[in-house]
């Protein structure tokens, strides 16, 4: 690690402690040349995840998009934003843990619907209607009937 003051590449670690809720390590260092102290942070490198859209195009995964879709589905519903943020974080963690670098929008949509179904059924139906692109009232009713059957 290069010293930010003199550029010397050797330093010693004086103190290490967890930071950012144990997601990184804060290290206090001292330059072996000029003796000045500086702080570095060590984090786990996360590999970028690519989302394959229905048209075949690819873009990097963005948790904010998942969260935005859930917020729209939960509009005027008694679902706390903190719950939606937690769900988005869980979905991202599931996808990271799968070790797949490419994930389809279908996979993400199914994970969102699975979790929304347990949180708020109206939000689930709203999300499903957009995600599954219900063409008519019959498709909508089929999904509602499936939801009612699962609740029995």
């Amino acid at each position: 690690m290069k010293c930010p003051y003199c550029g010397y590449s050797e330093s010693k670690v004086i103190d290490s402690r967890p930071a950012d809720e144990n997601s990184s390590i804060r290290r206090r260092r001292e330059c072996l040349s000029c003796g000045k102290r500086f702080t570095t942070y060590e984090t786990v490198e996360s590999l970028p995840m690519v989302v394959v859209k229905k048209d075949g195009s690819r873009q990097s995964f963005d948790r904010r998009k998942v969260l935005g879709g859930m917020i729209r589905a939960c509009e005027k519903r008694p679902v706390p934003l903190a719950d939606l943020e937690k769900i988005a974080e869980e979905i991202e963690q599931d996808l990271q843990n799968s070790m797949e670098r490419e994930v389809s929008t279908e996979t993400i949509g199914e994970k969102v619907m699975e979790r929304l179904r347990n949180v708020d059924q109206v939000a689930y139906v709203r999300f499903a209607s957009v995600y599954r692109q219900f063409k008519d009232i019959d498709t909508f009713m089929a999904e509602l009937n499936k939801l009612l059957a699962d609740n029995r």
Side-chain angles (χ1 to χ4, degrees):
M1 182 64 59
K2 274 189 172 182
C3 172
Y5 303 104
C6 70
Y8 191 68
S9 62
E10 298 291 322
S11 64
K12 68 179 178 181
V13 176
I14 297 168
D15 180 44
S16 287
R17 63 180 66 175
D20 298 327
E21 299 175 2
N22 289 329
S23 64
S24 66
I25 296 176
R26 177 185 182 270
R27 298 198 192 281
R28 196 73 182 129
R29 297 176 176 271
E30 184 177 302
C31 177
L32 295 178
S33 176
C34 68
K36 291 194 177 180
R37 293 183 177 186
F38 58 98
T39 303
T40 60
Y41 290 88
E42 182 179 313
T43 59
V44 174
E45 182 179 33
S46 62
L47 297 171
M49 200 172 354
V50 175
V51 176
V52 181
K53 301 186 86 168
K54 289 179 184 175
D55 66 359
S57 65
R58 289 167 164 69
Q59 61 181 211
S60 42
F61 177 82
D62 186 355
R63 181 179 10 163
R64 292 174 302 190
K65 286 186 176 185
V66 173
L67 182 59
M70 289 190 300
I71 288 171
R72 282 189 298 281
C74 292
E75 215 169 273
K76 297 184 182 177
R77 299 295 305 156
V79 180
L81 181 60
D83 289 357
L84 298 179
E85 288 171 338
K86 185 174 183 255
I87 290 170
E89 191 174 308
E90 288 171 358
I91 289 170
E92 183 178 25
Q93 196 62 51
D94 283 355
L95 296 172
Q96 288 283 352
N97 290 344
S98 75
M99 299 304 286
E100 294 292 324
R101 292 302 103 208
E102 288 190 347
V103 62
S104 67
T105 54
E106 288 83 13
T107 302
I108 296 169
E110 291 298 326
K111 287 183 179 295
V112 169
M113 287 193 307
E114 177 185 311
R115 285 174 172 83
L116 276 181
R117 182 181 221 155
N118 298 328
V119 172
D120 187 288
Q121 292 182 343
V122 172
Y124 160 77
V125 172
R126 285 179 179 171
F127 188 88
S129 70
V130 173
Y131 169 71
R132 291 199 175 137
Q133 299 175 338
F134 292 163
K135 302 285 186 243
D136 54 29
I137 193 71
D138 294 330
T139 325
F140 198 81
M141 284 305 296
E143 190 66 34
L144 286 176
N145 288 331
K146 193 172 15 166
L147 186 63
L148 288 171
D150 288 348
N151 285 338
R152 292 184 185 149

